[in-house]
Amino acid sequence: MQPSAAPDLADLAHTHARPAHWMATATATAAVVALAGLLQPGPAGAGTVPAAAPRPAPAPDAAAVSYPLECGGGPHTVAKRVSGDLDGDGNPETVAVVHCEAGSGTPPSGVYVLTRGKGSGTPARVVATLLAPEQHQNVTELAVRDGAVRATLLGYSSPDVPSCCPDEKEQVSWRWRGGAFVRGDQAEALGV
């Protein structure tokens, strides 16, 4: 039998537990427990209880607003609506896609931002027009993400394109900056 190259474990000093080793381990453990106790929060009920933050007002109701939309005396339809805090005040705004009702065809969309007044019971109102119906575009997708309004618009490359068949598609976004909604580029709308 060949002798082992590894030393005999009985000859290694650290394999023998001595009282000094146990004392060092116990002292280190006590120090960790004491430090953890110091870093814990105070007992429940100690100090003052923070006041609850005021709840945000509900998002404006898109159906209860008068829109700057001329439908020739006919009714309008709120086709899409989304809500989110667009100006960072903690209260949600509503973004509504509205168009005139039509028996056939695809009437152009208007995209409006709605907000409530400062006082309670103040009715919702239109504060911005992001897309006017006069631009002859339709909204197929609408979302509020990261404080921005994002939409997919369908449009026409020329007046010769039939209104049934839009031939242009673009991704757009609007973000509240400097007291107004600013239209972003396509990369921002896609979230790239």
Side-chain angles (χ1 to χ4, degrees), residues 7-8 30 33-34 45 51 73 75 119 123 136-137 154-155 164 167 185:
D8 187 8
V33 170
H136 300 288
Q137 293 183 305
L154 300 180
C164 69
D167 62 343
D185 61 8

Side-chain angles (χ1 to χ4, degrees), residues 55 57-58 91 116-124:
R55 292 181 51 195
N91 291 306
R116 293 190 180 281
K118 299 289 182 196
S120 64
T122 306

Side-chain angles (χ1 to χ4, degrees), residues 13-51:
H14 68 274
T15 60
H16 299 292
R18 294 196 171 101
H21 293 125
W22 289 111
M23 246 350 226
T25 302
T27 302
T29 302
V32 169
V33 170
L35 183 60
L38 291 174
L39 297 177
Q40 294 294 323
T48 60
V49 177

Side-chain angles (χ1 to χ4, degrees), residues 91-180:
N91 291 306
E93 287 75 33
T94 296
V95 181
V97 175
V98 184
H99 61 77
C100 295
E101 287 186 16
S104 63
T106 308
S109 300
V111 179
Y112 304 99
V113 178
L114 316 174
T115 190
R116 293 190 180 281
K118 299 289 182 196
S120 64
T122 306
R125 67 187 191 288
V126 174
V127 293
T129 299
L130 303 180
L131 178 71
E134 294 79 28
Q135 292 175 272
H136 300 288
Q137 293 183 305
N138 297 97
V139 177
T140 60
E141 295 176 28
L142 182 69
V144 171
R145 284 193 305 272
D146 303 323
V149 179
R150 300 171 193 276
T152 301
L153 305 179
L154 300 180
Y156 307 92
S157 60
S158 78
D160 298 330
V161 176
S163 63
C164 69
C165 312
D167 62 343
E168 293 184 334
K169 180 178 180 179
E170 67 178 312
Q171 304 290 326
V172 297
S173 68
W174 294 271
R175 187 174 293 279
W176 182 255
R177 287 192 186 126

